[in-house]
C-alpha cells in the first residue's frame, strides 16, 4: 500500500464508466482518454465508434444487467459510476440510483474489480445543521435517512453507503457542487424561474459551482490513483449568484431578474410545514435552506490531485 492510501496493484490502464452519455459522463470519457486510459462506456444505446472506447449497452435498473456488466468489466482496473436519477420521485431514484448501484457492485464483485469511484453530490450534506450565514464544510453531517430532505439527496446518501459497505479494496466518493459549463449554467440555486423572469435571492451569496472539466479530471485521477477518500469538490473561487445569472443572461434568458426575499419564502415554508410534502421544493423549508438561504462553503482542497480551473473570470464571492 502506498503512503497516500492507494493499493500498489500496478497501473490503472482500463476503466469502465457508467452514465457515459450524460453531461458529466461525456466529459469523464474525454478526461480518461486524455489520461491515456482505455474506456468501456456503459450506456443504454451503442455509441459512435471512437478510438479507445468500447461501448456496452446495458439497462442498469434490471438485475439481468449484472452478467453483461461483469463481462464488460473484464480487464478493467476500476469503475467510475455516474449513472443515477437526477429528478423524479422516490421510486425513480430507487430504481436507477439505488438498484443501479447494487447491480454495478454485484458485477464488480463477479469480475474481481477492486476500485470504485462514485459520483455522489454536495446534496448529501444536511444544510439544516448549518446556521444562516455560517459555512458548510467537510464535517457537516449527511442528511438523515429517517428525515430526508428530498428523494435525490436521500438516494445519493444511500448510494454512498452501498459503495462504502461493498468491501472493495478502495472507494472514492466524489461530492461535486453544481456541475456546469458555458452551456449548462441554470440551476435551482439561482432562484425561481417563471417564463422569461427569474426571481433571485441574495445576489452576493456564493454558489458552490464545479466546472465539468474539473469534476471529470477528479473522477479520473481518483481512479488512476485508487484513492480511499471522500472529496467535496468545487471551483477554487466561488462566484456570486449575481455573476452566474449575468453569464446565463448572455444566452438570452432570463429577460428580467427580480429580487426575491428568502426571508419571505422561509416564513411561508414554515407556515406551510404541515402540508410541505405536497408543495414545490422552494416551499419546503429543508429544500429552501439548501438552495437559497445565505451560507458559505469551506472544503479541504483535494490532495494528490492536479485539477484544472476552467471557471470563467466572473465576480467572486468574498
Amino acid at each position: 500500500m502506498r503512503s497516500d492510501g492507494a493499493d500498489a496493484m500496478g497501473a490503472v490502464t482500463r476503466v469502465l464508466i457508467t452514465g457515459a452519455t450524460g453531461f458529466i459522463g461525456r466529459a469523464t470519457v474525454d478526461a480518461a482518454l486524455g489520461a491515456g486510459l482505455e474506456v468501456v462506456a456503459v450506456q443504454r444505446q451503442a455509441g459512435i465508434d471512437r478510438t479507445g472506447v468500447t461501448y456496452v449497452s446495458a439497462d442498469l435498473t434490471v438485475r439481468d444487467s449484472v452478467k453483461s456488466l461483469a463481462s464488460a468489466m473484464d480487464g478493467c482496473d476500476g469503475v467510475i459510476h455516474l449513472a443515477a436519477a437526477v429528478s423524479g420521485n422516490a421510486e425513480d431514484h430507487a430504481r436507477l440510483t439505488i438498484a443501479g448501484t447494487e447491480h454495478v457492485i454485484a458485477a464488480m464483485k463477479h469480475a474481481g474489480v477492486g476500485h470504485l469511484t462514485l459520483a455522489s453530490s454536495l446534496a448529501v450534506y444536511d444544510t439544516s445543521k448549518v446556521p444562516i450565514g455560517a459555512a458548510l464544510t467537510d464535517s457537516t453531517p449527511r442528511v438523515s435517512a429517517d428525515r430526508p430532505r428530498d428523494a435525490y439527496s436521500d438516494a445519493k446518501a444511500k448510494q454512498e453507503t452501498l459503495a462504502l459497505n461493498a468491501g472493495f479494496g478502495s472507494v472514492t466518493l466524489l461530492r461535486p457542487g453544481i456541475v456546469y459549463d458555458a452551456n449548462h449554467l441554470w440551476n435551482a440555486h439561482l432562484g425561481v424561474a417563471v417564463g422569461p423572469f427569474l426571481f433571485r435571492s441574495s445576489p452576493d451569496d456564493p454558489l458552490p459551482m464545479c466546472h465539468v472539466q474539473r469534476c471529470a479530471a477528479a473522477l479520473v485521477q481518483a481512479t488512476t490513483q485508487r484513492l480511499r477518500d471522500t472529496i467535496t469538490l468545487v471551483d477554487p473561487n466561488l462566484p456570486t449568484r449575481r455573476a452566474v445569472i449575468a453569464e446565463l443572461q448572455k444566452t438570452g434568458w432570463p429577460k428580467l431578474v427580480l429580487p426575491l426575499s428568502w426571508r419571505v419564502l422561509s416564513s411561508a415554508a414554515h407556515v406551510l410545514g404541515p402540508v410541505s410534502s405536497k408543495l414545490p421544493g422552494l416551499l419546503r423549508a429543508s429544500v429552501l435552506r439548501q438552495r437559497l438561504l445565505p451560507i458559505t462553503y469551506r472544503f479541504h482542497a483535494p490532495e494528490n490531485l492536479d485539477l484544472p480551473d476552467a471557471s470563467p473570470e466572473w465576480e467572486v464571492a468574498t
Side-chain angles (χ1 to χ4, degrees), residues 20-166:
T21 56
F23 175 45
I24 298 176
R26 294 191 300 273
T28 304
V29 170
D30 289 343
L33 292 174
L37 303 178
E38 297 178 33
V39 174
V40 178
V42 178
Q43 49 202 57
R44 288 182 179 248
Q45 297 180 345
I48 300 172
D49 288 343
R50 187 175 181 185
T51 302
V53 181
T54 301
Y55 293 97
V56 175
S57 299
D59 181 355
L60 302 187
T61 66
V62 298
R63 181 69 186 178
D64 289 347
S65 66
V66 172
K67 185 175 181 180
S68 61
L69 281 173
S71 177
M73 290 176 187
D74 184 40
C76 289
D77 306 296
V79 169
I80 301 175
H81 182 35
L82 308 176
V86 296
S87 61
N89 57 29
E91 289 73 22
D92 296 322
H93 289 279
R95 184 173 56 87
L96 180 54
T97 304
I98 303 303
T101 300
E102 290 172 340
H103 298 155
V104 167
I105 288 172
M108 289 179 65
K109 290 181 176 180
H110 186 77
V113 179
H115 176 82
L116 172 63
T117 297
L118 174 68
S120 183
S121 171
L122 190 75
V124 300
Y125 288 113
D126 186 355
T127 49
S128 71
K129 306 296 184 183
V130 182
I132 293 173
L136 179 68
T137 72
D138 303 272
S139 60
T140 300
R142 289 195 317 174
V143 291
S144 171
D146 58 338
R147 294 187 63 188
R149 178 173 59 244
D150 51 32
Y152 176 75
S153 59
D154 183 46
K156 297 304 285 187
K158 289 176 178 176
Q159 189 185 36
E160 287 191 357
T161 300
L162 286 171
L164 292 173
N165 292 342

Side-chain angles (χ1 to χ4, degrees), residues 180 185 209 235 237-240 243-244 247 311-316:
Y180 75 99
L185 287 168
M209 308 295 283
D235 285 346
N237 299 297
L238 299 185
T240 63
V244 179
E247 285 292 317
S311 59
E313 293 184 1
W314 46 23
E315 178 188 19
V316 174

